[in-house]
Amino acid sequence: EYQTPLGETVSADLPGALQNFAGDVPGQACVRELLRADSAALGKLLAAISNCLPFTAILVIDQGEEVFTLANKTAEDQQLGRQSLDMLRQTIGTPGDFKLIFALRTEYYGRVIDRLRQGLHDVGSIREYLITEIDEPALVEAIRRPTSGESIPHAAEIPVEKYGFRYGEGVAAAIANRLVRYSISGRDGVLPLMQVICSQLYRLACKRVDKTVSLTDLDTLGGIEGGMRTHVETMVADLIKERPRDKTSVQKLFTDLYLKQADGTLTTALLAEDKVRETWTGKMPIDELLKSSCERRSMKVNSLRIGTEDHKRYVSLGQDAIAKIAEEWDRRLSLTTERLKWGAGILSVVSVALVMAAVAWSALLAKRSAERSEAIAKRKIQEVVELYMAPLSRSADLAATTED
């Protein structure tokens, strides 16, 4: 329902519009089959929905690169990828009061725009926007935005009334500076990192009466790195909550997914999916692991062509900021391995020493046993000799007495 400028209440029956268009009880399976059967159906459906609304209908499709990254396993997947792009191309040419926002990674832009423009005589309806890296002053403004006491465009509420917290003097600028220094590579952008850290600071501030974020709160998190560590460890704990023994296996996988560049910068690495499957040692099925990790944005799976190779699926970290946590886990696991090796070496030396001591002790016991046996034998012989010699001695004494 919505109200017209004259105050009249009007109802928009969107499910009814969908049912009239689909000719069946609307549902996910019904719409999917409809879109598969007719590439022009999406544009017609958006036009039908927009006719019921007093404003422009907007459909947002995020992670659009997946029409390539998820369409290289089978011939059917590839066909679905081509159908998806054809559906988008025909939607562009469909008249109606609607907009379609298709967001994707920069490296896939050329491949998508080439497909969308094929066969279109009027490409003026296509608008392209590059989301560039945010600079530090703009980052400070983004950090402060939830504490603003003024109305902002397209928002139903004043931010400070909704969130009810504030930053101490100079705190937002200090956070922005630390965020920029932490994400020095700039490959993935600093905004996701800002969201992770500021959400943790917000939760800390809300526990106090004044609800003011201070630099002490940032130190409580352990700085940007500590906050990121907590975030990643929470994601991993949630990922393996049904199989907690897989923790070391997941951490080991992460250590294979980062690189140290020549200047010391840590970035995500690319590891072939078949290599990941080959080396995975956890109990969780690898397909479930990859799917759940991608949903949590802790890892990504992309189809790429490197050099002269055919397209292959590669696994990488969800963002470069995770690489520092992966390096930390790598050091910890390596130290544990070295300690285990050192312990095993010590155990081996101790075991050999114990065996040698046991052999020496056995030899000593055998020697003492032999000596005791020899002494006993001598004593027995002596007793026998004395036993047989005693009558002779008495006879000799008797004879001597007779002579006398």
Side-chain angles (χ1 to χ4, degrees), residues 57-261:
I58 299 177
L59 174 64
V60 179
I61 300 177
D62 195 13
Q63 294 182 275
E65 67 275 1
E66 289 186 353
V67 297
F68 298 105
T69 62
L70 301 181
N72 284 276
K73 281 191 172 183
T74 65
E76 182 182 2
D77 289 338
Q78 294 175 11
Q79 177 63 22
L80 286 175
R82 289 191 291 268
Q83 287 181 344
S84 298
L85 290 172
D86 185 51
M87 177 180 65
L88 293 175
R89 182 172 62 251
Q90 296 201 42
T91 300
I92 292 171
T94 302
D97 186 20
F98 64 87
K99 295 183 184 295
L100 175 63
I101 299 177
F102 190 73
L104 72 160
R105 291 171 63 93
T106 306
E107 59 264 36
Y108 290 91
Y109 167 77
R111 296 167 68 181
V112 169
I113 203 67
D114 177 67
R115 302 282 185 90
L116 294 183
R117 285 176 169 168
Q118 289 178 10
L120 287 179
H121 299 291
D122 180 17
V123 295
S125 58
I126 301 178
R127 297 289 186 271
E128 303 148 12
Y129 302 93
L130 174 65
I131 302 177
T132 58
E133 291 293 335
I134 189 171
D135 59 18
E136 193 166 326
L139 184 60
V140 174
E141 177 61 27
I143 293 173
R144 288 175 176 164
R145 180 61 63 91
T147 66
S148 173
E150 301 177 358
S151 298
I152 57 177
H154 313 296
E157 300 173 88
I158 295 177
V160 71
E161 294 178 358
K162 179 176 178 61
Y163 299 106
F165 80 108
R166 68 186 186 91
Y167 288 98
E169 184 68 27
V171 173
I175 293 172
N177 181 261
R178 294 193 192 185
L179 286 169
V180 170
R181 285 190 285 116
Y182 184 87
S183 58
I184 191 68
S185 65
R187 289 182 57 187
D188 287 325
V190 73
L191 287 178
L193 181 59
M194 180 201 75
Q195 185 178 19
V196 167
I197 300 302
C198 290
S199 62
Q200 295 181 41
L201 293 172
Y202 169 72
R203 288 192 291 270
L204 285 176
C206 286
K207 295 178 181 179
R208 298 190 296 269
V209 177
D210 64 349
K211 294 186 177 181
T212 301
V213 175
S214 66
L215 288 178
T216 302
D217 293 323
L218 186 58
D219 294 335
T220 299
L221 296 180
I224 305 300
E225 185 170 350
M228 193 64 193
R229 183 187 306 109
T230 299
H231 173 67
V232 175
E233 289 179 346
T234 301
M235 282 197 302
V236 171
D238 183 56
L239 177 67
I240 61 171
K241 60 184 177 183
E242 301 297 331
R243 299 177 179 85
R245 293 185 178 180
D246 280 352
K247 180 179 179 179
T248 301
S249 297
V250 172
Q251 290 181 339
K252 179 63 176 67
L253 174 58
F254 272 57
T255 64
D256 293 331
L257 295 176
Y258 83 93
L259 286 175
K260 178 172 284 189
Q261 304 296 335

